[in-house]
Amino acid sequence: MKNVGSGQELGVASPQPADGRTRQAVARLLLERGPVTTADVADELGLSHVAVRRHLDALLADGEATTRDAPPHGRRGRGRPAKLFLLTETGRSRFGHAYDDLAVAALRFLAESGGEQAVRAFAERRVEAMIERHRDTVTEPEQPAERAKALAAALTREGYASSSRHVGAGEQLCQHHCPVAHVAAEFPQLCEAETTAFAEMLGVHVQRLATIARGDAACTTNVPLLPTQDQGKTPNQTPPTPDGGELA
C-alpha cells in the first residue's frame, strides 16, 4: 500500500500543506481509477476510512466530485448500496491538460483563414450548443431574476460553478469557474458571445462586470430587474462592481 504525505493519515487534523497534498492524491485516484468506493481509495493510498471520507466530502462540497450507487454484484445484505465516487468536470480541471493549447492553435488558424467573423461565428455556435438544452428551463419563469437563478443552475451543470443573488437594482450572475478561461484570454469573442446569449435567454440587456479571462476572481454579469420587479427600491443607475468579480 502507498502512504501519502508524511506517514499514514488517521483522520486527525494535519498541517494544511500535507492536507492539500493528500486531497490532491485522492482526486488523482478518482481521475485515474474512478468510479471508486471509499474502501478502494483507503486501500490504495494507505489511509483510514475516516480520513478518506473527509477528503471526499470536501471534494463533493466544492463540486469537484459526485457519487452514484454501485451496481449490485450477487446477493447483497440489507442497507444502502455502496457509493462510487468520481470527478466532475470541475474536479478534472484541477489537473490541467493540453486542450487549451490545441484550442488556441485552432482558433488562431481560424482567425488567419476566416478572419474575425469566423471566430465570432464559432463562439456563437459554441455557446448556443452549450445552453440550448437548458432553454426551456431557463425561459420558463417570467421575471429576469428567476431566469438568472435558473441559468446559474444550468451553468453549474455545465461545469461553471455558478450562483445568482440580488445586488442593488439587479441580480448578479457569478461563474466561479470557466473551463475555457485561458482560451478566452486571447479570444474575448467567447465571452462576448456568452454575454449576448445570456441577454437573449434572460430577456433583458445584461452587463458583464468581470471575467476570469481578464484575471478577475469570477465572471460576473449584472442582470437588471424589470420596473415591476424594482418597485419600492432605490434606483441604482450604475450596478455595483464586486471586488475582483467575486461575490461577498
Side-chain angles (χ1 to χ4, degrees), residues 181-216:
H182 295 298
V183 182
E186 182 169 343
F187 294 95
Q189 296 93 331
L190 295 174
C191 297
E192 293 164 5
E194 188 177 271
T195 304
T196 300
F198 289 176
E200 189 270 328
M201 293 190 77
L202 298 176
V204 293
H205 175 74
V206 303
Q207 181 183 4
R208 184 59 65 91
L209 304 178
T211 64
I212 295 173
R214 291 201 307 254
D216 297 308

Side-chain angles (χ1 to χ4, degrees), residues 110 115-125 188-189 192-193 196:
L110 184 62
E116 166 76 15
Q117 188 56 41
V119 175
R120 188 168 301 280
F122 168 82
E124 292 170 353
R125 178 169 295 188
Q189 296 93 331
E192 293 164 5
T196 300

Side-chain angles (χ1 to χ4, degrees), residues 10-68:
L10 300 176
V12 180
S14 57
Q16 184 61 34
D19 202 56
R21 288 195 297 271
T22 302
R23 188 156 305 156
Q24 183 77 355
V26 172
R28 179 169 290 280
L29 188 63
L30 266 60
L31 177 73
E32 297 174 349
R33 296 268 306 276
V36 292
T37 65
T38 302
D40 293 332
V41 179
D43 290 345
E44 179 67 20
L45 299 182
L47 305 175
S48 72
H49 284 224
V50 173
V52 169
R53 278 313 306 251
R54 178 164 59 84
H55 290 296
L56 290 173
D57 286 344
L59 291 170
L60 289 170
D62 291 340
E64 296 189 37
T66 187
T67 64
R68 68 186 188 206

Side-chain angles (χ1 to χ4, degrees), residues 35-116:
V36 292
T37 65
T38 302
D40 293 332
V41 179
D43 290 345
E44 179 67 20
L45 299 182
L47 305 175
S48 72
H49 284 224
V50 173
V52 169
R53 278 313 306 251
R54 178 164 59 84
H55 290 296
L56 290 173
D57 286 344
L59 291 170
L60 289 170
D62 291 340
E64 296 189 37
T66 187
T67 64
R68 68 186 188 206
D69 291 339
H73 294 289
R75 297 182 61 183
R76 291 183 56 90
R78 294 183 178 179
R80 298 178 180 177
K83 290 289 185 185
L84 295 174
F85 294 82
L86 60 158
L87 288 184
T88 63
E89 185 64 31
T90 299
R92 288 192 292 272
S93 69
R94 70 157 57 204
F95 294 97
H97 43 62
Y99 300 148
D100 286 348
D101 292 339
L102 177 63
V104 169
L107 284 175
R108 285 175 180 167
F109 176 80
L110 184 62
E112 292 171 2
S113 59
E116 166 76 15

Side-chain angles (χ1 to χ4, degrees), residues 163-200:
S163 61
S164 175
R165 74 166 191 169
H166 183 78
V167 177
E171 287 286 315
Q172 273 192 0
L173 177 67
C174 195
Q175 298 156 253
H176 300 276
H177 174 68
C178 177
V180 297
H182 295 298
V183 182
E186 182 169 343
F187 294 95
Q189 296 93 331
L190 295 174
C191 297
E192 293 164 5
E194 188 177 271
T195 304
T196 300
F198 289 176
E200 189 270 328

